[in-house]
Amino acid sequence: MNDITIENLTKILEDITNQGWILNKRVNNQGAVGNTLEDLLSVQENNYPLPDFHNWELKAQEKRQNTLVTLFHSEPEPRSMRFVPQILLPNFGWPHTDAGIKYPKTERRISLTINNSFSPKGRGFKIAADYEQKRIYVDFDADKISESFKEWIPDRMTVQNSFQAPYWTFSTIENKLHSKLNNTIYIQADKKKEGRDTYFKYENFLLLMNPSLDLFLNQLNQGAVYADFDARTGHNHGSKMRIMRNNLPNLFKTQIKI
């Protein structure tokens, strides 16, 4: 798509705001608030690592949802390690709830969301910035595994002794920030139900521009940035960088409220 001016974008978003409560036509869709906004902007759903609307990325959430915002997808390096399917899933995963039902009995599952601190209820992982090597790496310490996972320690100690920390280079993160999020529209929408129908109201759009690696690292060091891993046997759902939703604007040098 071609670029769009701030003036034209502002008018389009103001028109959406002036519509008030808008019927959700994406029934039973977990991302309905964002999908409804995409429908209003005539954006077709896609999984491309590029902005959604002209040169703008769309990020929309319900106000009452205290969830993380996905920034971008990126598998850690070295890619040949295949960290998620070859190390994380077989050594730290658990039997899938549908193992032996929908999937084979050997089906396993892993869902791990980590920031810069070892969680007291976690599995011994965190992420950290290495400014000398210019990378963000995944750290593992078997001694930090929570009490509920103590039975894992013998096997995990074996993993730790051979653990090669996967990482994302600073340049990879910076490229992702600018290729995907350089211009971002962010909105926390209101939601209401009337009978079986759900409605969204889109007010107070925030235009976010010029993301910065330094600001990203600052948010990581404050614990607001998370690495998210999600996979099952034979299917990696993708590794993601995410951020606490109220911290999203802190990644950008320029902010415009509409």
Side-chain angles (χ1 to χ4, degrees):
M1 287 187 175
N2 297 325
D3 291 355
I4 187 172
T5 65
I6 295 292
E7 291 75 16
N8 287 340
L9 179 60
T10 298
K11 183 179 185 304
I12 291 170
L13 297 180
E14 286 177 343
D15 287 344
I16 291 174
T17 295
N18 291 336
Q19 292 183 45
W21 291 102
I22 298 169
L23 177 66
N24 167 31
K25 297 180 181 179
R26 301 297 193 97
V27 181
N28 299 323
N29 189 328
Q30 190 173 7
V33 63
N35 293 142
T36 299
L37 179 58
E38 290 175 343
D39 291 343
L40 293 169
L41 295 171
S42 299
V43 174
Q44 293 185 350
E45 288 186 62
N46 67 79
N47 293 316
Y48 301 135
L50 299 170
D52 299 309
F53 180 65
H54 293 272
N55 55 322
W56 290 84
E57 174 72 1
L58 304 176
K59 297 293 184 185
Q61 289 189 321
E62 295 176 27
K63 280 185 180 179
R64 288 180 286 185
Q65 281 186 336
N66 189 23
T67 56
L68 298 173
V69 177
T70 297
L71 299 174
F72 50 79
H73 287 69
S74 181
E75 295 300 319
E77 300 178 41
R79 297 296 178 88
S80 60
M81 178 195 298
R82 301 187 66 219
F83 173 65
V84 175
Q86 296 292 345
I87 298 174
L88 195 60
L89 181 61
N91 290 290
F92 296 89
W94 51 86
H96 198 289
T97 54
D98 288 330
I101 304 172
K102 183 178 179 180
Y103 304 114
K105 291 181 179 180
T106 56
E107 192 81 9
R108 295 179 68 79
R109 173 91 164 88
I110 184 71
S111 180
L112 185 68
T113 303
I114 55 177
N115 67 352
N116 70 329
S117 299
F118 290 113
S119 169
K121 296 183 179 180
R123 294 175 171 81
F125 287 95
K126 73 172 185 176
I127 53 173
D130 182 335
Y131 287 86
E132 289 188 5
Q133 296 292 324
K134 297 185 183 302
R135 60 179 58 171
I136 296 168
Y137 66 96
V138 179
D139 191 14
F140 171 63
D141 186 344
D143 291 333
K144 301 297 184 180
I145 297 175
S146 71
E147 288 292 332
S148 59
F149 304 127
K150 285 299 183 183
E151 69 276 10
W152 289 6
I153 288 182
D155 292 337
R156 274 56 190 183
M157 288 300 295
T158 300
V159 173
Q160 179 168 325
N161 291 335
S162 61
F163 187 73
Q164 179 186 355
Y167 60 88
W168 299 265
T169 65
F170 283 4
S171 60
T172 294
I173 298 298
E174 189 167 35
N175 288 337
K176 287 287 186 178
L177 288 172
H178 289 292
S179 63
K180 182 69 173 174
L181 302 170
N182 207 49
N183 300 303
T184 298
I185 302 169
Y186 182 54
I187 178 69
Q188 292 183 14
D190 285 309
K191 175 183 174 180
K192 73 173 182 178
K193 290 188 70 68
E194 292 184 357
R196 296 183 178 181
D197 293 328
T198 301
Y199 295 82
F200 297 119
K201 181 189 287 186
Y202 299 92
E203 295 181 317
N204 302 318
F205 286 94
L206 193 59
L207 303 185
L208 304 171
M209 292 167 281
N210 304 317
S212 159
L213 174 64
D214 288 339
L215 293 176
F216 180 93
L217 294 173
N218 181 54
Q219 291 301 301
L220 185 150
N221 292 331
Q222 291 185 35
V225 170
Y226 291 77
D228 186 287
F229 304 101
D230 186 14
R232 62 174 176 82
T233 302
H235 187 78
N236 183 3
H237 295 286
S239 302
K240 302 177 280 292
M241 285 293 177
R242 310 178 75 187
I243 191 168
M244 296 173 65
R245 70 177 193 176
N246 290 334
N247 292 71
L248 176 64
N250 297 337
L251 299 179
F252 298 84
K253 296 179 181 177
T254 304
Q255 304 178 18
I256 300 175
K257 291 183 179 180
I258 296 179

